[in-house]
Every structure is written in C-alpha cells, then in structure tokens.
Amino acid sequence: MLDGFRRLRGSRPASVDEVDDHRYDEDEGLTTRHPSEHAAGLPAVVSALRHGVREMGVRRTVKTLRMINQDTGFDCMGCAWPDPAKRHHAEFCENGAKAVAEEATLLRAGPDLFAQYSVAELAAQSDFWLGKRGRLTHPLYLAPGATHYAPISWDGAFDLIAGELQALDSPDEAAFYTSGRTSNEAAFVYQAFVRALGTNNLPDCSNMCHESSGVALEQSIGIGKGSVSLEDIEAADLLIVVGQNPGTNHPRMLSSLEAAKGRGAKVVAVNPLREAGLTRFDNPQKVRGMVGAGTKLADLHLPIRVNGDLALFSAVNARLLERDAVDHEFLSASCDGLTAVRAAHADLDEAAVLAATGLSRAAIDELTELVVASERTVICWAMGLTQHRNSVATIREVVNLLLLRGMIGKPGAGLCPVRGHSNVQGDRSMGIYEKPPAAFLDRMQAALGYDLPREHGVDVVGAIRAMRDGKVKVFLGMGGNFLSAAPDTAATAAALGSCRLTVHVATKPNRSHVTPGRAALLLPTLGRTERDVQAGGEQVVTVEDSMSAVHASRGALPPASDELLSEVAIVCRLADRVVGDRGNVRWLELAADYDRIRDLIAEAIAGFEDFNARRDAGFVLPHPPRDSRSFATPNGRAQLTVNPLEVLHVPAGRLVLQTLRSHDQYNTTIYGLNDRYRGVKAGRRVVLVNAADLAAQGLRDGDTVDLVGEPDPDGTVRRAEHFRAIAYDTPLGCAAAYYPETNTLVPLDSVALESGTPTSKSVIVRLEPAS
Ligand SMILES: Nc1nc2c(c(=O)[nH]1)N[C@H]1C(S)=C(S)[C@@H](COP(=O)(O)OP(=O)(O)OC[C@H]3O[C@@H](n4cnc5c(=O)[nH]c(N)nc54)[C@H](O)[C@@H]3O)O[C@H]1N2
Ligand SMILES: Nc1nc2c(c(=O)[nH]1)N[C@H]1C(S)=C(S)[C@@H](COP(=O)(O)OP(=O)(O)OC[C@H]3O[C@@H](n4cnc5c(=O)[nH]c(N)nc54)[C@H](O)[C@@H]3O)O[C@H]1N2
Ligand SMILES: [Mo]
C-alpha cells in the first residue's frame, strides 16, 4: 500500500489554507450517483493517502502509517477489530489511516484561534470546520460570563475543578463521562479517582453503543463480551453479518471475511441497505484486489426492514425447533429454558414476522437452510442491532440461535459483537461502568485500600436527565463529544448549559467544547500516536480489542505541543489535588510510571494477573463460554430466553429513520463530505428514502425536505431541517440519514429496554417539503 505514496510525491505538507480549500458548507455542491458494489481497492488507498498528506505532509504520513498496529507501534484508534498474529507492512485500512491523520495532523487549534473567535462564533461553525482547526495545544478556561476561552495554567485548571467538586453537597452531583479511546491505564486511574470521590457516576460511550449486547450476553451466557477469536472468524463455514457496515466502519474485518470465503465459507448480510463492503471486497493488500474484480463477499443479502431482526431470528429459531435441527447434547448438558422457548416459538405469528421483516418466506427459509447446513456458525453484529427499543431481546434471540445449534465454545463458531471505539471494551474491563457488580467492587476495594461507593450511578441518558434536573452540576468528559453523540441535541445542550462547570479532556475542538456550562475548561491531551514521557521515563499503555486480546501501544511522534499532559497525568494530578493519597494509591507515583498502575490492575481485576510481565507479548482475557463451555450465570447454565415478538408501530405517512455513519466520518468527527460507497458526494444533509415512499408523499428525488419527529406528550416537536431526499435502495418505510446531524430527532426518553441505549436506529419521522 505504501507504494501508493509515489503517486502523491510533490504534494505539499498541510497548511491551514490548504485545508480551508475544503467547503464546510453542505448542500450547494452535493451530487449523487449509483451506490458502489465494491469496497476498498485502489480508490481506498488513494483516499487514505490524500487525507494523510493533506493533514501531515508526505514524510510524516509515511512514518506514521508504518507504525500502525505493528508490534512496536501504536494501536490504531480507528476501530476495535483485532490484529492478526502475522502482520502486514501496512496493517491498517483507509479509515484507520484517516483516523490517524486526524490525530497526527500538523494543524493547531492554539490560544490564538480562541482569541479570534468567541464561543458563540465557534458554535456557529460546522462540526467539520471545528475538527479541521487541528490539535488543541494549551489548557483553556471560559470564565463565567466570558465570551472567549483564554489560556490557564494546569495548576489553575486543577484548582478550579477541585474547588467546584469540593463545593458539591454530594459527589453524586458530578458526572464523569468516558469515550472509548482512553487507555486501560488512564481508565483505571480515572475510575479509582471518581470512586475515591464517592460516586459511580461513570457514563460512557458504551451506553450509546454496545450496551444492549453486554446486557443480553450477560443474561444469556454470563459474560458481556463476544466469544470468538480472529481464527474463529476465518475458520467459520457460515458468517452472518447483521446490522453492521464493515466496509466503512471495520474495513480490516473484510480481510477476515475474505479469508473465510477462501476456505469455502458462506457469508450472509442482514441489512436494510446493500452496503458495498458486504457485496464485493477489493483487498488493497493483494494485487487481485487492486486491479482485478476482487472477492464477492455476501452469498445472500436479506434486505430486512429496520428493526425486523427480532422477528427474523425468532422465525429461524422456530424453524430449527420445528425441524428438530438442534444440538440436543449441548442443550441438555449446558442450557436452560428449552421447554419455554419451544412453546413460545410454536406459537410464532408468521404473518407478523413477514410484516416486520419485509422479507419473503422463501428468504427466511434460505437463511434457515444455510444455518442447518453449517457446522461452524459465527454471527457478527453492530449498531443495526443495538440501538432499538427491543435490542436486548433481539440479541438474546441471536444467542438463542447459536445455543440451539451448539455454536459456542467450539472452533469456528460463536458470538461476535463488533465493538466500535478501539478501547471501549478495555475501559469497561477497567471499571468504567455506572453499575459495577458487587464482586468487582469488592476486589477493586481490596486492591485500592479504600472504600468504594456501592450505589449505582447514572448512564448517558441518566446524566442528561440529572443535569437537566439540577442534580448533576459538574460534568467532566474524558474524550469524546458528549453533546453531538448523545440523543436529543437540544435537550443535551440545555443540560450541559445548566452545569456550574463543564470540563473536557480532548485532542481536538468539537461541539461539546462550545456548548459550555456556566464556566468551562478545555484540557488538551496526548493522543495515542505520541510519545508519552513521564518522570519514570517513556511510557507504554495497553488496550483490549473486540475479542478480549490485551496488548501494548507505544506512541512515537513528538507531542502536538509542549503543554500537553497525558490522560493519566491529568487524572492523577487532579486526584492528588481533590482526594489526595488514599489506601494503597499514591497518585503522583502512578503518573510517573504506568507499570505501577498495571501492578494495581493486576491485583484489582480478574484476568490481569502478572500484567507487567505479559504486557509486551499481549494476552487474551479469560472467557468461560469460549474457553470451556462454562457459564457464569446464577445457575451455571446458558439461558435460552423467550422474547415476545414486539413490532415497531409506524403510523401512516411516517418512516422509520436509522441514523448511521458515512464513509468519511469517525462518529462525530467529520473527515470529509463524501460517502463514496453510497454515491453521495460533497454533502451530508441527505436522507435516503425508497422511491415508492417518496412518490407516495408527492416528493421527487432531489427535493429538499425537513425531517419532523412525532410530538412529545407536552407538544414538543423535534425537527432537522433542509435535507436532500435521495431515492435509494432501502426497504419500504425505512429511511437513513447521517449521525450526528440527525441526533436532534432522537427523543431523550426513547431508549432500549433494559440497556437504556438511545434508539438511534428507529426514529419515527415524516418528511415535510422544506419551506
Ligand atoms: N470509519 C469509521 N469507523 C468506525 C466508526 C466511524 O464512525 N467511522 N465508528 C466506530 C464505532 S464507535 C462503532 S460503534 C462502529 C459502528 O459500526 P456500524 O454498526 O457498522 O455503524 P453504523 O454506520 O451505525 O451502521 C449500522 C449498520 O446497520 C444497518 N442497520 C440499521 N438499522 C438496522 C436494523 O434494524 N437491522 C439490521 N439488520 N441492520 C440495520 C445499517 O444499514 C448500517 O449498515 O464503528 C466503529 N468504527
Ligand atoms: N444518532 C446516533 N447517535 C450515536 C450513534 C449512532 O449510530 N447514531 N452512535 C453512538 C456510538 S456507537 C458511540 S460510540 C458514540 C460516540 O461518542 P463519543 O465517543 O463521545 O464521540 P466521538 O465522536 O468518538 O469523540 C470524538 C472526540 O474525541 C476526542 N478525542 C479523540 N481522541 C482522543 C484521545 O485520545 N483522548 C481524548 N481525551 N480525547 C480524544 C476529540 O476531541 C474528538 O472531537 O456516539 C453514539 N451516538
Ligand atoms: Mo460505538
């Protein structure tokens, strides 16, 4: 892939002017064409390198991209897909390269930017523009009543935070958010600090992401993590990819699917959209992928209606039971609940299934045949399954399928929730969780040597409600973009605005930073690409991928500014100021040498024994169902569950809107305005609608519309204005538009049962011609 650099020789390094050549205003130049059937290939290489060179220049691009995911380099922050044991020279993908370029950019958002623009002026800019200002360089303070952020010393910043925290009536009046890029070491000291303060208010991005998977898996198999390794993916003979767009969001997964196909595996895509990455993959690491026709990936695409998955998996399971195509030996040895499930599925309403899925009986039969013929089945899923009201039930039904077939804890088979943020799973392992189990806290408490709070804290939606109601007054975000990632943008902005103090530890400016509380702090931090030198020398951090493998990550670039502190240093210096040394914890010693943090982790968290000795080689955390078909549920058996068919009710004239990612964004960070595979160019305010739905509403392809939500009981109506309606291959009644522009339409109180995840993939809207 690095050969592609030759094409770009002569490109100039980045400058603000060059990046300003971009148009930040959407709509005007927007064009659309037929969606692509191919993912990756040469266009991906060129796009990745262009982006890198624009942000960092040629030399730095070569140097940086060479270190991604190598044994001695840093872990790519693009996604949580694992690294193969045998690495390529270029073990990354187009979108990983873009994620790295975003961080390693030479552009700087220094104090001059914040002197030039008031917070109100910054807030009027697009997310794209804000992110393209570059890396934050200095701690900044927005004083009560001030219009501009101004530089402040680190000590000054820590004093301000300490003052506000100490003035609270209860530690539960503060909330501490985490996004999923935070290293294990930073996450561990962060939760240790927050719990020393006396609260479990640790909402995280998981609450909006895979929480539904964690809850369903915990109930069914006793552990909230996936049960497969990379080898299992490649050894499977059937891979069902549900509600996931790997061509954009986990491109390296396509190499594993390609390897599995090479051994004769079948791939099924269950997705309302015909996503390019699932139809054909042109592997940029192989000559065939660069110039040939690539590999056809999906053998079967089921264009399911949005939120039809509970019905689909119930229907397949009903067929398996009816045909008795189940693993009796495994079921009787290891599972509970078969009788109840059998009874419930015998009564399944097939007409309701066909209506909910929008699929034909023949299509469901075809999937069932593939399942019955398979000896090694893996089911992968992501946000298409987790962000609906019935998500937990849906994922339990997915588990039912694999349990019925005995497809867990054997090679080439199992459950694969594909995580998003590169260390979101590790952060949870470290205790970033508002509802930690008692046993976890007991062991943590013994290791830390001080008492930990036991009362559950708030999750993301709970934190927004608590801020709105005046119960949380101080908000601290460890990375992320709480405002733009959370649902109901107006309600979330008002909630943050009502805080006494909002604090963000961040690498680059984003909308949360310009939606301040009465006062606000913006604390710049090192990214994963950068060298982290502390009193005890150069430091290494660790992360855990989507398949429970823990490994080290070392930055190599010089920090974006001399003023940056690492996340660990920020937490430890703040903790030293606010709670002081406690029990076995000496904050400043931990910050000086992260090995000392790992010593504590080794004592505090099961599976991390001998952490420092094993950190460089890496290790895989224990997973009882995967390792030994044992289940840490209350009765020690895997649970088959009855999940009554709940069908989303869509009133006449309305559509179900799913809010998803374009090919040119990382969550709320916008890399560019194109969505290459879906044929959208130079704009993001688009809504993809079935041509028949457009016609039924008297609209035409290309019309400009407003998206209007259903009124709340109090009459509040949420709107997102000025979207180009595009006729697109999506099931009848189902529309799609990009996040975060459409978060304003997701009602705060519309969350998944049991997991509390906002229902970002099933928003009821109508289209109104724009005025
Ligand atoms: N480049 C890049 N990589 C990323 C990210 C990024 O923004 N950019 N984000 C990271 C993060 S945090 C995450 S969580 C992951 C997200 O990875 P994905 O889950 O792939 O992300 P989405 O774009 O939300 O795509 C959801 C997919 O589910 C489908 N879908 C929607 N509703 C339904 C439904 O009801 N049923 C079914 N069966 N399918 C449905 C959509 O058509 C779409 O293909 O990616 C991670 N990696
Ligand atoms: N409507 C809708 N809403 C969604 C989703 C959806 O599909 N639809 N998806 C949800 C999902 S899956 C997720 S995970 C959340 C994502 O929610 P978040 O994780 O909160 O959002 P990000 O956009 O990933 O955060 C980007 C910011 O992180 C900061 N950052 C980047 N790297 C670092 C670092 O190394 N350290 C620190 N301290 N800061 C850093 C930068 O300042 C950047 O602006 O959004 C959720 N919201
Ligand atoms: Mo996510």
Side-chain angles (χ1 to χ4, degrees), residues 79 399 732 737:
C79 72
V399 179
L732 266 180

Side-chain angles (χ1 to χ4, degrees), residues 271-273 304-307 388 648 650 653-660 678 686-691 693-694 697 705 707 723-738 742 745 760-767:
N271 199 310
L273 307 182
I304 194 165
R305 295 199 57 206
V306 168
N307 195 42
H388 304 279
L648 186 66
V650 185
R654 310 294 197 271
L655 301 172
V656 191
L657 176 78
Q658 55 145 325
T659 62
L660 42 47
R678 299 199 187 104
V686 296
V687 56
L688 313 180
V689 187
N690 185 297
D693 285 321
L694 281 181
Q697 311 213 6
V705 296
L707 309 180
F723 283 71
R724 178 90 60 95
I726 297 178
Y728 199 87
D729 183 7
T730 172
L732 266 180
C734 304
Y738 302 131
T742 45
L745 295 165
S760 311
K761 294 286 189 279
S762 38
V763 188
I764 311 279
V765 296
R766 62 193 166 80
L767 308 179

Side-chain angles (χ1 to χ4, degrees), residues 16-177:
V16 173
D17 288 349
E18 192 170 347
V19 174
D20 268 342
D21 284 348
H22 274 62
R23 296 177 35 260
Y24 300 104
D25 289 325
E26 291 144 33
D27 284 354
E28 284 158 44
L30 179 85
T31 61
T32 58
R33 58 166 172 73
H34 270 302
S36 174
E37 291 272 311
H38 290 239
L42 193 57
V45 177
V46 172
S47 168
L49 295 182
R50 274 229 176 91
H51 197 88
V53 171
R54 195 169 62 222
E55 298 279 339
M56 346 184 234
V58 175
R59 278 187 42 212
R60 190 171 164 97
T61 303
V62 176
K63 178 173 176 193
T64 311
L65 297 189
R66 278 213 161 119
M67 293 180 311
I68 303 182
N69 292 338
Q70 301 298 321
D71 284 342
T72 54
F74 57 86
D75 178 67
C76 179
M77 52 297 238
C79 72
W81 190 254
D83 305 318
K86 187 169 158 284
R87 316 267 164 106
H88 284 278
H89 287 311
E91 195 49 68
F92 59 93
C93 64
E94 173 190 358
N95 278 342
K98 289 184 191 161
V100 168
E102 279 294 311
E103 181 179 301
T105 179
L106 292 168
L107 301 173
R108 296 291 177 266
D112 48 333
L113 175 78
F114 294 89
Q116 185 184 349
Y117 294 99
S118 69
V119 170
E121 286 165 339
L122 291 169
Q125 300 286 355
S126 70
D127 291 313
F128 186 33
W129 188 94
L130 284 173
K132 288 289 174 215
R133 296 310 93 195
R135 290 287 300 276
L136 294 162
T137 59
H138 288 72
L140 297 164
Y141 178 47
L142 181 72
T147 54
H148 290 65
Y149 273 103
I152 183 173
S153 68
W154 281 105
D155 281 331
F158 294 137
D159 283 342
L160 275 167
I161 303 170
E164 289 290 352
L165 291 176
Q166 283 154 355
L168 296 174
D169 291 332
S170 146
D172 293 327
E173 291 180 348
F176 299 86
Y177 175 66

Side-chain angles (χ1 to χ4, degrees), residues 77-80 93-96 98-99 205 208-210 241-251 269-275 278 302 304-309 312-313 381-388 418-422 424 658-669 671 678 736 739 761-762:
M77 52 297 238
C79 72
C93 64
E94 173 190 358
N95 278 342
K98 289 184 191 161
C205 69
M208 301 182 268
C209 183
H210 264 296
V241 182
V242 195
Q244 192 199 347
N245 179 20
T248 287
N249 297 312
H250 306 91
V270 181
N271 199 310
L273 307 182
R274 185 179 292 280
E275 303 284 30
L278 289 167
L302 298 180
I304 194 165
R305 295 199 57 206
V306 168
N307 195 42
D309 306 86
L312 173 65
F313 285 97
W381 72 91
M383 296 304 101
L385 280 199
T386 64
Q387 299 173 333
H388 304 279
V418 184
R419 305 274 161 182
H421 264 304
S422 51
V424 61
Q658 55 145 325
T659 62
L660 42 47
R661 292 152 174 81
S662 86
H663 192 63
D664 262 0
Q665 72 183 86
Y666 193 90
N667 297 338
T668 70
T669 300
Y671 298 148
R678 299 199 187 104
Y739 133 75
K761 294 286 189 279
S762 38

